[in-house]
Amino acid sequence: MTGPALQTPHDRTPTPSGRGRRVLLTTIAIVALAGAGGWAATRYALHHGVTLNTYGNAVGGSFRLMDSTTGTMTDQTFRGRWMLVLFGATHCTDDACRPALKAMSDALDTLDENGRKAVIIFVSLDPDRDDAERLRQYGEHIGPHVIAGTAAPFALADLAKEYHAPVERVADAEWSYTMRMSPHFVVMDPDTRYRGMIDASASPASMATELRRIMSVTPDN
């Protein structure tokens, strides 16, 4: 009597359920690696700063921030455009940051509607709470002129010092604490040269007038 033929490993075909498990495990692994990569990029941006370069400015200079997509942005990212830099946080003392950013955004609507000439850089001093997603939503709610970013606390302290911005945590009954907004927008020209400051509490019309004056001045070479 002839017995049943023996199957070799090559003769065995995975069952549909086996293939499904393989696909599922592979998909999970890919998603996990992608998530780990994003997390690693965020952690690196928050814990590794760079040596600041003032470019000879009395105020302002280079910066490297984690942006609202978990990538990094630097002053060179915006080279060729005017930069209006404001420090604060999404949990801002007296909720002052939002109206200041909105006022400057409205001012730029009258001077740079297509967004090619200038950008508002909002630097969050609260990296523990202002992650990429929160910064993205905050900036989008105000308008397309606003780009938000943050960094590690020690790097933020150095950067704020270069931009003459206070780093002050204020106790708050609702949010535990808030971060005080810097009193001025620091204006850097397309070559990252300091050109002045604009009162962050000014009206959109006043900001537009001051911006027009600053931008019309020919830089000294």
Side-chain angles (χ1 to χ4, degrees), residues 48-65:
H48 293 77
V50 295
T51 301
L52 297 177
N53 186 339
T54 66
Y55 302 136
N57 291 305
V59 180
S62 67
F63 61 80
R64 180 183 295 274
L65 301 168

Side-chain angles (χ1 to χ4, degrees), residues 112-132:
D112 182 35
E113 186 176 355
N114 60 20
R116 297 176 183 174
K117 189 175 183 180
V119 61
I120 301 169
I121 307 295
F122 181 54
V123 183
S124 170
L125 297 169
D126 190 13
D128 289 338
R129 294 188 293 194
D130 287 347
D131 60 14

Side-chain angles (χ1 to χ4, degrees), residues 71-86:
T72 57
M73 62 180 181
T74 73
D75 54 287
Q76 296 304 303
T77 304
F78 305 102
R79 192 168 184 84
R81 298 166 71 185
W82 289 81
M83 291 180 287
L84 314 172
V85 186
L86 185 73

Side-chain angles (χ1 to χ4, degrees), residues 3-211:
L6 295 176
Q7 287 185 315
T8 67
H10 297 290
D11 296 325
R12 298 190 183 102
T13 301
T15 63
S17 60
R19 286 198 298 270
R21 283 194 294 271
R22 285 186 183 181
V23 172
L24 177 61
L25 290 173
T26 301
T27 301
I28 291 173
I30 291 172
V31 171
L33 285 173
W39 179 87
T42 300
R43 293 293 85 188
Y44 186 88
L46 286 177
H47 293 286
H48 293 77
V50 295
T51 301
L52 297 177
N53 186 339
T54 66
Y55 302 136
N57 291 305
V59 180
S62 67
F63 61 80
R64 180 183 295 274
L65 301 168
M66 180 198 77
D67 68 17
S68 57
T69 64
T70 72
T72 57
M73 62 180 181
T74 73
D75 54 287
Q76 296 304 303
T77 304
F78 305 102
R79 192 168 184 84
R81 298 166 71 185
W82 289 81
M83 291 180 287
L84 314 172
V85 186
L86 185 73
F87 289 75
T90 63
H91 294 83
C92 189
T93 304
D94 299 326
D95 200 26
C97 298
R98 193 183 301 273
L101 291 167
K102 184 63 168 63
M104 183 58 80
S105 184
D106 289 347
L108 285 182
D109 280 342
T110 67
L111 301 175
D112 182 35
E113 186 176 355
N114 60 20
R116 297 176 183 174
K117 189 175 183 180
V119 61
I120 301 169
I121 307 295
F122 181 54
V123 183
S124 170
L125 297 169
D126 190 13
D128 289 338
R129 294 188 293 194
D130 287 347
D131 60 14
E133 180 60 18
R134 184 172 181 83
L135 291 175
R136 182 189 67 78
Q137 293 179 357
Y138 190 81
E140 286 183 353
H141 183 74
I142 296 169
H145 295 292
V146 179
I147 305 295
T150 191
F154 70 89
L156 287 170
D158 289 343
L159 183 60
K161 184 177 180 180
E162 291 295 338
Y163 277 80
H164 293 206
V167 180
E168 184 179 351
R169 180 179 292 203
V170 180
D172 184 87
E174 180 182 359
W175 291 335
S176 178
Y177 70 88
T178 60
M179 301 303 297
R180 192 175 298 282
M181 181 184 73
S182 54
H184 301 93
F185 284 90
V186 174
V187 183
M188 308 298 293
D189 74 12
D191 294 316
T192 321
R193 298 174 67 181
Y194 170 68
R195 292 300 168 196
M197 295 187 182
I198 295 177
D199 187 350
S201 64
S203 68
S206 295
M207 288 181 178
T209 297
E210 191 63 11
L211 274 176

